[in-house]
PDB file of all heavy atoms in Angstrom:
ATOM      1  N   THR T 243     -13.295  -0.734   9.754  1.00 68.00           N
ATOM      2  CA  THR T 243     -12.166  -0.347  10.597  1.00 68.00           C
ATOM      3  C   THR T 243     -11.556  -1.539  11.328  1.00 68.00           C
ATOM      4  O   THR T 243     -10.371  -1.516  11.681  1.00 68.00           O
ATOM      5  CB  THR T 243     -12.593   0.704  11.628  1.00 68.00           C
ATOM      6  OG1 THR T 243     -13.706   0.196  12.393  1.00 68.00           O
ATOM      7  CG2 THR T 243     -13.005   1.996  10.940  1.00 68.00           C
ATOM      8  N   GLU T 244     -12.328  -2.588  11.551  1.00 66.00           N
ATOM      9  CA  GLU T 244     -11.785  -3.763  12.228  1.00 66.00           C
ATOM     10  C   GLU T 244     -10.788  -4.511  11.344  1.00 66.00           C
ATOM     11  O   GLU T 244     -10.012  -5.335  11.842  1.00 66.00           O
ATOM     12  CB  GLU T 244     -12.919  -4.709  12.639  1.00 66.00           C
ATOM     13  CG  GLU T 244     -13.845  -4.114  13.697  1.00 66.00           C
ATOM     14  CD  GLU T 244     -14.931  -5.086  14.113  1.00 66.00           C
ATOM     15  OE1 GLU T 244     -14.981  -6.194  13.555  1.00 66.00           O
ATOM     16  OE2 GLU T 244     -15.725  -4.724  15.001  1.00 66.00           O
ATOM     17  N   LEU T 245     -10.817  -4.235  10.035  1.00 66.00           N
ATOM     18  CA  LEU T 245      -9.884  -4.881   9.117  1.00 66.00           C
ATOM     19  C   LEU T 245      -8.536  -4.179   9.071  1.00 66.00           C
ATOM     20  O   LEU T 245      -7.532  -4.768   8.684  1.00 66.00           O
ATOM     21  CB  LEU T 245     -10.463  -4.921   7.702  1.00 66.00           C
ATOM     22  CG  LEU T 245     -11.344  -6.096   7.301  1.00 66.00           C
ATOM     23  CD1 LEU T 245     -11.851  -5.903   5.878  1.00 66.00           C
ATOM     24  CD2 LEU T 245     -10.578  -7.408   7.402  1.00 66.00           C
ATOM     25  N   ILE T 246      -8.489  -2.904   9.441  1.00 72.00           N
ATOM     26  CA  ILE T 246      -7.275  -2.104   9.300  1.00 72.00           C
ATOM     27  C   ILE T 246      -6.271  -2.474  10.395  1.00 72.00           C
ATOM     28  O   ILE T 246      -6.573  -2.386  11.580  1.00 72.00           O
ATOM     29  CB  ILE T 246      -7.595  -0.604   9.362  1.00 72.00           C
ATOM     30  CG1 ILE T 246      -8.551  -0.222   8.217  1.00 72.00           C
ATOM     31  CG2 ILE T 246      -6.327   0.227   9.289  1.00 72.00           C
ATOM     32  CD1 ILE T 246      -8.990   1.227   8.248  1.00 72.00           C
ATOM     33  N   VAL T 247      -5.074  -2.883   9.966  1.00 71.00           N
ATOM     34  CA  VAL T 247      -4.038  -3.270  10.921  1.00 71.00           C
ATOM     35  C   VAL T 247      -2.839  -2.331  10.867  1.00 71.00           C
ATOM     36  O   VAL T 247      -1.959  -2.404  11.717  1.00 71.00           O
ATOM     37  CB  VAL T 247      -3.568  -4.723  10.677  1.00 71.00           C
ATOM     38  CG1 VAL T 247      -4.693  -5.693  10.911  1.00 71.00           C
ATOM     39  CG2 VAL T 247      -2.999  -4.881   9.270  1.00 71.00           C
ATOM     40  N   GLY T 248      -2.799  -1.462   9.879  1.00 77.00           N
ATOM     41  CA  GLY T 248      -1.683  -0.528   9.784  1.00 77.00           C
ATOM     42  C   GLY T 248      -1.939   0.542   8.754  1.00 77.00           C
ATOM     43  O   GLY T 248      -2.580   0.291   7.732  1.00 77.00           O
ATOM     44  N   VAL T 249      -1.461   1.765   9.026  1.00 76.00           N
ATOM     45  CA  VAL T 249      -1.624   2.884   8.098  1.00 76.00           C
ATOM     46  C   VAL T 249      -0.265   3.536   7.901  1.00 76.00           C
ATOM     47  O   VAL T 249       0.403   3.910   8.872  1.00 76.00           O
ATOM     48  CB  VAL T 249      -2.637   3.916   8.619  1.00 76.00           C
ATOM     49  CG1 VAL T 249      -2.762   5.071   7.633  1.00 76.00           C
ATOM     50  CG2 VAL T 249      -3.995   3.276   8.864  1.00 76.00           C
ATOM     51  N   GLU T 250       0.161   3.633   6.634  1.00 76.00           N
ATOM     52  CA  GLU T 250       1.399   4.330   6.306  1.00 76.00           C
ATOM     53  C   GLU T 250       1.045   5.594   5.538  1.00 76.00           C
ATOM     54  O   GLU T 250      -0.117   5.984   5.463  1.00 76.00           O
ATOM     55  CB  GLU T 250       2.304   3.401   5.497  1.00 76.00           C
ATOM     56  CG  GLU T 250       2.662   2.101   6.224  1.00 76.00           C
ATOM     57  CD  GLU T 250       3.428   1.129   5.354  1.00 76.00           C
ATOM     58  OE1 GLU T 250       3.874   1.552   4.265  1.00 76.00           O
ATOM     59  OE2 GLU T 250       3.553  -0.039   5.757  1.00 76.00           O
ATOM     60  N   ASP T 251       2.054   6.223   4.946  1.00 71.00           N
ATOM     61  CA  ASP T 251       1.818   7.500   4.271  1.00 71.00           C
ATOM     62  C   ASP T 251       0.754   7.394   3.195  1.00 71.00           C
ATOM     63  O   ASP T 251      -0.144   8.223   3.100  1.00 71.00           O
ATOM     64  CB  ASP T 251       3.125   8.024   3.658  1.00 71.00           C
ATOM     65  CG  ASP T 251       4.113   8.477   4.720  1.00 71.00           C
ATOM     66  OD1 ASP T 251       3.665   8.735   5.857  1.00 71.00           O
ATOM     67  OD2 ASP T 251       5.312   8.557   4.420  1.00 71.00           O
ATOM     68  N   ASN T 252       0.856   6.369   2.375  1.00 75.00           N
ATOM     69  CA  ASN T 252      -0.098   6.256   1.272  1.00 75.00           C
ATOM     70  C   ASN T 252      -0.621   4.838   1.138  1.00 75.00           C
ATOM     71  O   ASN T 252      -0.982   4.402   0.051  1.00 75.00           O
ATOM     72  CB  ASN T 252       0.545   6.699  -0.043  1.00 75.00           C
ATOM     73  CG  ASN T 252       1.563   5.702  -0.560  1.00 75.00           C
ATOM     74  OD1 ASN T 252       2.299   5.105   0.223  1.00 75.00           O
ATOM     75  ND2 ASN T 252       1.608   5.506  -1.872  1.00 75.00           N
ATOM     76  N   ALA T 253      -0.653   4.103   2.261  1.00 79.00           N
ATOM     77  CA  ALA T 253      -1.105   2.719   2.205  1.00 79.00           C
ATOM     78  C   ALA T 253      -1.837   2.328   3.479  1.00 79.00           C
ATOM     79  O   ALA T 253      -1.474   2.744   4.575  1.00 79.00           O
ATOM     80  CB  ALA T 253       0.079   1.783   1.987  1.00 79.00           C
ATOM     81  N   ILE T 254      -2.880   1.523   3.309  1.00 77.00           N
ATOM     82  CA  ILE T 254      -3.630   0.951   4.419  1.00 77.00           C
ATOM     83  C   ILE T 254      -3.485  -0.558   4.340  1.00 77.00           C
ATOM     84  O   ILE T 254      -3.873  -1.173   3.337  1.00 77.00           O
ATOM     85  CB  ILE T 254      -5.120   1.343   4.361  1.00 77.00           C
ATOM     86  CG1 ILE T 254      -5.282   2.862   4.427  1.00 77.00           C
ATOM     87  CG2 ILE T 254      -5.905   0.673   5.487  1.00 77.00           C
ATOM     88  CD1 ILE T 254      -6.719   3.325   4.230  1.00 77.00           C
ATOM     89  N   SER T 255      -2.932  -1.173   5.357  1.00 78.00           N
ATOM     90  CA  SER T 255      -2.767  -2.626   5.396  1.00 78.00           C
ATOM     91  C   SER T 255      -3.955  -3.248   6.120  1.00 78.00           C
ATOM     92  O   SER T 255      -4.388  -2.741   7.168  1.00 78.00           O
ATOM     93  CB  SER T 255      -1.461  -2.999   6.108  1.00 78.00           C
ATOM     94  OG  SER T 255      -0.343  -2.483   5.422  1.00 78.00           O
ATOM     95  N   LEU T 256      -4.475  -4.336   5.560  1.00 75.00           N
ATOM     96  CA  LEU T 256      -5.677  -4.953   6.082  1.00 75.00           C
ATOM     97  C   LEU T 256      -5.397  -6.350   6.625  1.00 75.00           C
ATOM     98  O   LEU T 256      -4.459  -7.029   6.186  1.00 75.00           O
ATOM     99  CB  LEU T 256      -6.748  -5.031   4.987  1.00 75.00           C
ATOM    100  CG  LEU T 256      -7.067  -3.710   4.275  1.00 75.00           C
ATOM    101  CD1 LEU T 256      -8.107  -3.931   3.201  1.00 75.00           C
ATOM    102  CD2 LEU T 256      -7.547  -2.672   5.269  1.00 75.00           C
ATOM    103  N   ALA T 257      -6.238  -6.775   7.549  1.00 76.00           N
ATOM    104  CA  ALA T 257      -6.050  -8.058   8.206  1.00 76.00           C
ATOM    105  C   ALA T 257      -6.226  -9.231   7.251  1.00 76.00           C
ATOM    106  O   ALA T 257      -5.719 -10.321   7.502  1.00 76.00           O
ATOM    107  CB  ALA T 257      -7.012  -8.189   9.388  1.00 76.00           C
ATOM    108  N   ASN T 258      -6.954  -9.037   6.143  1.00 70.00           N
ATOM    109  CA  ASN T 258      -7.189 -10.146   5.202  1.00 70.00           C
ATOM    110  C   ASN T 258      -6.087 -10.280   4.162  1.00 70.00           C
ATOM    111  O   ASN T 258      -6.217 -11.033   3.204  1.00 70.00           O
ATOM    112  CB  ASN T 258      -8.547  -9.970   4.511  1.00 70.00           C
ATOM    113  CG  ASN T 258      -8.610  -8.708   3.656  1.00 70.00           C
ATOM    114  OD1 ASN T 258      -7.651  -7.955   3.569  1.00 70.00           O
ATOM    115  ND2 ASN T 258      -9.746  -8.485   3.031  1.00 70.00           N
ATOM    116  N   GLY T 259      -4.989  -9.544   4.346  1.00 73.00           N
ATOM    117  CA  GLY T 259      -3.864  -9.662   3.428  1.00 73.00           C
ATOM    118  C   GLY T 259      -3.827  -8.607   2.346  1.00 73.00           C
ATOM    119  O   GLY T 259      -2.851  -8.502   1.609  1.00 73.00           O
ATOM    120  N   CYS T 260      -4.893  -7.828   2.223  1.00 78.00           N
ATOM    121  CA  CYS T 260      -4.934  -6.785   1.196  1.00 78.00           C
ATOM    122  C   CYS T 260      -4.155  -5.552   1.638  1.00 78.00           C
ATOM    123  O   CYS T 260      -3.933  -5.310   2.822  1.00 78.00           O
ATOM    124  CB  CYS T 260      -6.379  -6.373   0.905  1.00 78.00           C
ATOM    125  SG  CYS T 260      -7.383  -7.616   0.091  1.00 78.00           S
ATOM    126  N   VAL T 261      -3.762  -4.757   0.677  1.00 78.00           N
ATOM    127  CA  VAL T 261      -3.199  -3.450   0.953  1.00 78.00           C
ATOM    128  C   VAL T 261      -3.814  -2.473  -0.040  1.00 78.00           C
ATOM    129  O   VAL T 261      -3.923  -2.765  -1.239  1.00 78.00           O
ATOM    130  CB  VAL T 261      -1.655  -3.444   0.850  1.00 78.00           C
ATOM    131  CG1 VAL T 261      -1.197  -3.898  -0.532  1.00 78.00           C
ATOM    132  CG2 VAL T 261      -1.086  -2.068   1.173  1.00 78.00           C
ATOM    133  N   CYS T 262      -4.270  -1.335   0.476  1.00 80.00           N
ATOM    134  CA  CYS T 262      -4.884  -0.314  -0.372  1.00 80.00           C
ATOM    135  C   CYS T 262      -3.926   0.866  -0.447  1.00 80.00           C
ATOM    136  O   CYS T 262      -3.591   1.461   0.579  1.00 80.00           O
ATOM    137  CB  CYS T 262      -6.233   0.117   0.214  1.00 80.00           C
ATOM    138  SG  CYS T 262      -7.114   1.324  -0.795  1.00 80.00           S
ATOM    139  N   CYS T 263      -3.465   1.170  -1.638  1.00 82.00           N
ATOM    140  CA  CYS T 263      -2.455   2.211  -1.823  1.00 82.00           C
ATOM    141  C   CYS T 263      -3.010   3.363  -2.657  1.00 82.00           C
ATOM    142  O   CYS T 263      -3.667   3.139  -3.675  1.00 82.00           O
ATOM    143  CB  CYS T 263      -1.212   1.646  -2.513  1.00 82.00           C
ATOM    144  SG  CYS T 263      -0.365   0.390  -1.534  1.00 82.00           S
ATOM    145  N   GLN T 264      -2.728   4.578  -2.208  1.00 80.00           N
ATOM    146  CA  GLN T 264      -3.141   5.749  -2.979  1.00 80.00           C
ATOM    147  C   GLN T 264      -2.109   6.029  -4.062  1.00 80.00           C
ATOM    148  O   GLN T 264      -0.902   6.007  -3.809  1.00 80.00           O
ATOM    149  CB  GLN T 264      -3.287   6.963  -2.070  1.00 80.00           C
ATOM    150  CG  GLN T 264      -3.925   8.158  -2.759  1.00 80.00           C
ATOM    151  CD  GLN T 264      -4.405   9.190  -1.754  1.00 80.00           C
ATOM    152  OE1 GLN T 264      -4.079   9.129  -0.586  1.00 80.00           O
ATOM    153  NE2 GLN T 264      -5.183  10.150  -2.217  1.00 80.00           N
ATOM    154  N   ILE T 265      -2.589   6.253  -5.268  1.00 78.00           N
ATOM    155  CA  ILE T 265      -1.697   6.492  -6.397  1.00 78.00           C
ATOM    156  C   ILE T 265      -1.100   7.885  -6.303  1.00 78.00           C
ATOM    157  O   ILE T 265      -1.819   8.877  -6.202  1.00 78.00           O
ATOM    158  CB  ILE T 265      -2.450   6.332  -7.733  1.00 78.00           C
ATOM    159  CG1 ILE T 265      -3.010   4.910  -7.862  1.00 78.00           C
ATOM    160  CG2 ILE T 265      -1.533   6.628  -8.907  1.00 78.00           C
ATOM    161  CD1 ILE T 265      -3.903   4.733  -9.065  1.00 78.00           C
ATOM    162  N   ARG T 266       0.228   7.931  -6.337  1.00 69.00           N
ATOM    163  CA  ARG T 266       0.911   9.219  -6.354  1.00 69.00           C
ATOM    164  C   ARG T 266       0.951   9.743  -7.786  1.00 69.00           C
ATOM    165  O   ARG T 266       0.463   9.129  -8.712  1.00 69.00           O
ATOM    166  CB  ARG T 266       2.325   9.058  -5.795  1.00 69.00           C
ATOM    167  CG  ARG T 266       2.341   8.648  -4.320  1.00 69.00           C
ATOM    168  CD  ARG T 266       3.750   8.550  -3.793  1.00 69.00           C
ATOM    169  NE  ARG T 266       3.761   8.309  -2.365  1.00 69.00           N
ATOM    170  CZ  ARG T 266       4.874   8.163  -1.642  1.00 69.00           C
ATOM    171  NH1 ARG T 266       6.057   8.213  -2.241  1.00 69.00           N
ATOM    172  NH2 ARG T 266       4.813   7.951  -0.339  1.00 69.00           N
ATOM    173  N   ASP T 267       1.575  10.908  -7.936  1.00 70.00           N
ATOM    174  CA  ASP T 267       1.674  11.488  -9.273  1.00 70.00           C
ATOM    175  C   ASP T 267       2.407  10.553 -10.226  1.00 70.00           C
ATOM    176  O   ASP T 267       2.106  10.486 -11.413  1.00 70.00           O
ATOM    177  CB  ASP T 267       2.391  12.839  -9.211  1.00 70.00           C
ATOM    178  CG  ASP T 267       1.582  13.896  -8.481  1.00 70.00           C
ATOM    179  OD1 ASP T 267       0.347  13.735  -8.428  1.00 70.00           O
ATOM    180  OD2 ASP T 267       2.179  14.854  -7.960  1.00 70.00           O
ATOM    181  N   ASP T 268       3.382   9.817  -9.705  1.00 77.00           N
ATOM    182  CA  ASP T 268       4.167   8.905 -10.520  1.00 77.00           C
ATOM    183  C   ASP T 268       3.650   7.488 -10.296  1.00 77.00           C
ATOM    184  O   ASP T 268       3.921   6.865  -9.266  1.00 77.00           O
ATOM    185  CB  ASP T 268       5.641   9.004 -10.143  1.00 77.00           C
ATOM    186  CG  ASP T 268       6.530   8.179 -11.070  1.00 77.00           C
ATOM    187  OD1 ASP T 268       5.990   7.421 -11.891  1.00 77.00           O
ATOM    188  OD2 ASP T 268       7.758   8.305 -10.967  1.00 77.00           O
ATOM    189  N   LEU T 269       2.897   6.969 -11.254  1.00 81.00           N
ATOM    190  CA  LEU T 269       2.333   5.625 -11.132  1.00 81.00           C
ATOM    191  C   LEU T 269       3.426   4.569 -11.034  1.00 81.00           C
ATOM    192  O   LEU T 269       3.304   3.595 -10.285  1.00 81.00           O
ATOM    193  CB  LEU T 269       1.417   5.328 -12.326  1.00 81.00           C
ATOM    194  CG  LEU T 269       0.783   3.932 -12.385  1.00 81.00           C
ATOM    195  CD1 LEU T 269      -0.054   3.652 -11.142  1.00 81.00           C
ATOM    196  CD2 LEU T 269      -0.078   3.798 -13.647  1.00 81.00           C
ATOM    197  N   VAL T 270       4.508   4.757 -11.784  1.00 81.00           N
ATOM    198  CA  VAL T 270       5.612   3.796 -11.760  1.00 81.00           C
ATOM    199  C   VAL T 270       6.187   3.688 -10.353  1.00 81.00           C
ATOM    200  O   VAL T 270       6.483   2.600  -9.851  1.00 81.00           O
ATOM    201  CB  VAL T 270       6.710   4.191 -12.765  1.00 81.00           C
ATOM    202  CG1 VAL T 270       7.929   3.286 -12.622  1.00 81.00           C
ATOM    203  CG2 VAL T 270       6.169   4.130 -14.188  1.00 81.00           C
ATOM    204  N   GLN T 271       6.331   4.826  -9.667  1.00 82.00           N
ATOM    205  CA  GLN T 271       6.860   4.821  -8.306  1.00 82.00           C
ATOM    206  C   GLN T 271       5.929   4.055  -7.370  1.00 82.00           C
ATOM    207  O   GLN T 271       6.381   3.260  -6.540  1.00 82.00           O
ATOM    208  CB  GLN T 271       7.041   6.255  -7.794  1.00 82.00           C
ATOM    209  CG  GLN T 271       7.521   6.333  -6.344  1.00 82.00           C
ATOM    210  CD  GLN T 271       7.578   7.752  -5.814  1.00 82.00           C
ATOM    211  OE1 GLN T 271       7.474   8.713  -6.571  1.00 82.00           O
ATOM    212  NE2 GLN T 271       7.728   7.894  -4.506  1.00 82.00           N
ATOM    213  N   THR T 272       4.626   4.284  -7.511  1.00 84.00           N
ATOM    214  CA  THR T 272       3.660   3.590  -6.664  1.00 84.00           C
ATOM    215  C   THR T 272       3.716   2.083  -6.883  1.00 84.00           C
ATOM    216  O   THR T 272       3.705   1.304  -5.931  1.00 84.00           O
ATOM    217  CB  THR T 272       2.234   4.098  -6.943  1.00 84.00           C
ATOM    218  OG1 THR T 272       2.178   5.511  -6.745  1.00 84.00           O
ATOM    219  CG2 THR T 272       1.220   3.424  -6.019  1.00 84.00           C
ATOM    220  N   VAL T 273       3.780   1.660  -8.137  1.00 85.00           N
ATOM    221  CA  VAL T 273       3.837   0.237  -8.440  1.00 85.00           C
ATOM    222  C   VAL T 273       5.111  -0.379  -7.869  1.00 85.00           C
ATOM    223  O   VAL T 273       5.085  -1.475  -7.280  1.00 85.00           O
ATOM    224  CB  VAL T 273       3.761   0.004  -9.964  1.00 85.00           C
ATOM    225  CG1 VAL T 273       4.002  -1.460 -10.295  1.00 85.00           C
ATOM    226  CG2 VAL T 273       2.408   0.438 -10.499  1.00 85.00           C
ATOM    227  N   ASN T 274       6.235   0.326  -8.005  1.00 84.00           N
ATOM    228  CA  ASN T 274       7.486  -0.181  -7.449  1.00 84.00           C
ATOM    229  C   ASN T 274       7.398  -0.342  -5.938  1.00 84.00           C
ATOM    230  O   ASN T 274       7.887  -1.330  -5.369  1.00 84.00           O
ATOM    231  CB  ASN T 274       8.645   0.764  -7.802  1.00 84.00           C
ATOM    232  CG  ASN T 274       9.326   0.398  -9.110  1.00 84.00           C
ATOM    233  OD1 ASN T 274       9.564  -0.772  -9.380  1.00 84.00           O
ATOM    234  ND2 ASN T 274       9.621   1.395  -9.923  1.00 84.00           N
ATOM    235  N   GLU T 275       6.771   0.610  -5.264  1.00 84.00           N
ATOM    236  CA  GLU T 275       6.631   0.524  -3.813  1.00 84.00           C
ATOM    237  C   GLU T 275       5.784  -0.690  -3.420  1.00 84.00           C
ATOM    238  O   GLU T 275       6.077  -1.377  -2.438  1.00 84.00           O
ATOM    239  CB  GLU T 275       5.998   1.803  -3.266  1.00 84.00           C
ATOM    240  CG  GLU T 275       6.908   3.022  -3.351  1.00 84.00           C
ATOM    241  CD  GLU T 275       6.202   4.287  -2.913  1.00 84.00           C
ATOM    242  OE1 GLU T 275       4.972   4.237  -2.648  1.00 84.00           O
ATOM    243  OE2 GLU T 275       6.872   5.348  -2.830  1.00 84.00           O
ATOM    244  N   VAL T 276       4.745  -0.961  -4.194  1.00 85.00           N
ATOM    245  CA  VAL T 276       3.841  -2.066  -3.872  1.00 85.00           C
ATOM    246  C   VAL T 276       4.539  -3.413  -4.040  1.00 85.00           C
ATOM    247  O   VAL T 276       4.480  -4.277  -3.162  1.00 85.00           O
ATOM    248  CB  VAL T 276       2.573  -2.002  -4.750  1.00 85.00           C
ATOM    249  CG1 VAL T 276       1.788  -3.295  -4.659  1.00 85.00           C
ATOM    250  CG2 VAL T 276       1.704  -0.832  -4.318  1.00 85.00           C
ATOM    251  N   ILE T 277       5.218  -3.609  -5.171  1.00 85.00           N
ATOM    252  CA  ILE T 277       5.816  -4.919  -5.421  1.00 85.00           C
ATOM    253  C   ILE T 277       7.078  -5.137  -4.593  1.00 85.00           C
ATOM    254  O   ILE T 277       7.563  -6.264  -4.490  1.00 85.00           O
ATOM    255  CB  ILE T 277       6.125  -5.124  -6.922  1.00 85.00           C
ATOM    256  CG1 ILE T 277       7.090  -4.063  -7.452  1.00 85.00           C
ATOM    257  CG2 ILE T 277       4.844  -5.145  -7.717  1.00 85.00           C
ATOM    258  CD1 ILE T 277       7.409  -4.219  -8.931  1.00 85.00           C
ATOM    259  N   ASN T 278       7.602  -4.064  -3.959  1.00 84.00           N
ATOM    260  CA  ASN T 278       8.774  -4.199  -3.097  1.00 84.00           C
ATOM    261  C   ASN T 278       8.402  -4.302  -1.622  1.00 84.00           C
ATOM    262  O   ASN T 278       9.289  -4.329  -0.757  1.00 84.00           O
ATOM    263  CB  ASN T 278       9.729  -3.008  -3.297  1.00 84.00           C
ATOM    264  CG  ASN T 278      10.448  -3.068  -4.623  1.00 84.00           C
ATOM    265  OD1 ASN T 278      10.773  -4.143  -5.121  1.00 84.00           O
ATOM    266  ND2 ASN T 278      10.702  -1.909  -5.216  1.00 84.00           N
ATOM    267  N   ARG T 279       7.115  -4.377  -1.318  1.00 84.00           N
ATOM    268  CA  ARG T 279       6.695  -4.541   0.076  1.00 84.00           C
ATOM    269  C   ARG T 279       7.182  -5.896   0.608  1.00 84.00           C
ATOM    270  O   ARG T 279       7.351  -6.848  -0.168  1.00 84.00           O
ATOM    271  CB  ARG T 279       5.169  -4.456   0.195  1.00 84.00           C
ATOM    272  CG  ARG T 279       4.607  -3.074  -0.103  1.00 84.00           C
ATOM    273  CD  ARG T 279       3.076  -3.086  -0.039  1.00 84.00           C
ATOM    274  NE  ARG T 279       2.613  -3.393   1.294  1.00 84.00           N
ATOM    275  CZ  ARG T 279       2.389  -2.483   2.243  1.00 84.00           C
ATOM    276  NH1 ARG T 279       2.607  -1.203   1.969  1.00 84.00           N
ATOM    277  NH2 ARG T 279       1.955  -2.836   3.427  1.00 84.00           N
ATOM    278  N   PRO T 280       7.416  -5.989   1.935  1.00 80.00           N
ATOM    279  CA  PRO T 280       7.897  -7.258   2.509  1.00 80.00           C
ATOM    280  C   PRO T 280       7.031  -8.456   2.141  1.00 80.00           C
ATOM    281  O   PRO T 280       7.551  -9.525   1.819  1.00 80.00           O
ATOM    282  CB  PRO T 280       7.863  -6.973   4.014  1.00 80.00           C
ATOM    283  CG  PRO T 280       8.020  -5.491   4.118  1.00 80.00           C
ATOM    284  CD  PRO T 280       7.301  -4.931   2.933  1.00 80.00           C
ATOM    285  N   GLU T 281       5.707  -8.277   2.211  1.00 79.00           N
ATOM    286  CA  GLU T 281       4.789  -9.316   1.751  1.00 79.00           C
ATOM    287  C   GLU T 281       4.270  -8.887   0.386  1.00 79.00           C
ATOM    288  O   GLU T 281       3.253  -8.201   0.279  1.00 79.00           O
ATOM    289  CB  GLU T 281       3.633  -9.513   2.743  1.00 79.00           C
ATOM    290  CG  GLU T 281       4.059 -10.136   4.069  1.00 79.00           C
ATOM    291  CD  GLU T 281       2.867 -10.520   4.917  1.00 79.00           C
ATOM    292  OE1 GLU T 281       1.723 -10.238   4.498  1.00 79.00           O
ATOM    293  OE2 GLU T 281       3.072 -11.095   5.995  1.00 79.00           O
ATOM    294  N   ASN T 282       4.993  -9.304  -0.640  1.00 81.00           N
ATOM    295  CA  ASN T 282       4.640  -8.849  -1.980  1.00 81.00           C
ATOM    296  C   ASN T 282       3.269  -9.386  -2.376  1.00 81.00           C
ATOM    297  O   ASN T 282       2.880 -10.500  -2.005  1.00 81.00           O
ATOM    298  CB  ASN T 282       5.694  -9.297  -2.995  1.00 81.00           C
ATOM    299  CG  ASN T 282       5.834 -10.794  -3.051  1.00 81.00           C
ATOM    300  OD1 ASN T 282       6.033 -11.432  -2.037  1.00 81.00           O
ATOM    301  ND2 ASN T 282       5.737 -11.352  -4.244  1.00 81.00           N
TER     302      ASN T 282
END
């Protein structure tokens, strides 16, 4: 929990630069959301 710096609808942002995203029904949509994040 000390690593978690932010929680969105389907993503957890971590202090070490990682982001953990839950896969939605549409994998293409999830991938697009990930690569379009401010810190790609």
